[in-house]
Amino acid sequence: MQTTRGLQSADLITLADLFSTSLGDALEFPEEAKQWVADNLPNIAIRDLEISFAKVDNEPLCLEVGFKIKGSLYVNPTSTPEYVQREPCDPGPLPPCLKEEGCFGAVDIDVSLSAGEIPSVKGTVFLNPFDIGDYIHIGPGN
């Protein structure tokens, strides 16, 4: 699965509602709860999202045994990105994670599974510089 828009906070609530209404006695989120989330929490989005999970290799579907997740984490993104076509079986690196567009960081995790072996986990995490309060700065010096 690949998506440039990815998932945002409101999408997760919508998905939870859709799932809950598929169950017999489950209830939807109350409208006031949805509004509270929109008014009080940052809009967290995962964009340029790629997810795959496979128990067997399937070359036509570009699947390898294991679990992979790749994407960029945004906090209060400034715009909806334009879709950029990428090769399905070789998507290459993620698009640039630009702080001025609200990109906080990016992650690329690959869990490989082989019969009779301990799973192998490889991952890369990229973080843009950020501040926590007045005294904590993460990233290169100013």
Side-chain angles (χ1 to χ4, degrees):
M1 175 181 96
Q2 291 180 337
T3 172
T4 53
R5 182 173 182 275
L7 295 171
Q8 300 186 100
S9 303
D11 297 329
L12 298 177
I13 291 173
T14 300
L15 286 171
D17 274 347
L18 290 171
F19 179 73
S20 70
T21 56
S22 70
L23 302 174
D25 297 326
L27 301 173
E28 290 185 20
F29 282 102
E31 285 302 318
E32 56 272 8
K34 292 179 192 178
Q35 192 60 49
W36 186 91
V37 167
D39 293 344
N40 295 289
L41 296 179
N43 180 23
I44 299 188
I46 302 172
R47 293 192 171 162
D48 304 308
L49 181 61
E50 298 174 21
I51 299 173
S52 71
F53 172 78
K55 291 184 176 183
V56 295
D57 289 337
N58 187 318
E59 193 172 326
L61 294 178
C62 309
L63 295 175
E64 296 175 359
V65 174
F67 173 76
K68 297 176 191 226
I69 185 166
K70 183 189 266 191
S72 299
L73 177 64
Y74 285 75
V75 179
N76 294 326
T78 58
S79 64
T80 300
E82 292 184 27
Y83 179 72
V84 177
Q85 182 67 41
R86 294 168 33 195
E87 292 297 320
C89 290
D90 185 19
L94 289 170
C97 178
L98 303 175
K99 185 176 181 178
E100 59 271 14
E101 293 178 0
C103 189
F104 181 76
V107 65
D108 183 353
I109 297 173
D110 181 355
V111 179
S112 299
L113 306 171
S114 298
E117 295 182 21
I118 296 173
S120 166
V121 179
K122 295 187 292 183
T124 303
V125 176
F126 163 81
L127 293 177
N128 272 318
F130 63 96
D131 296 311
I132 303 172
D134 294 332
Y135 302 105
I136 300 173
H137 175 79
I138 308 296
N142 292 336

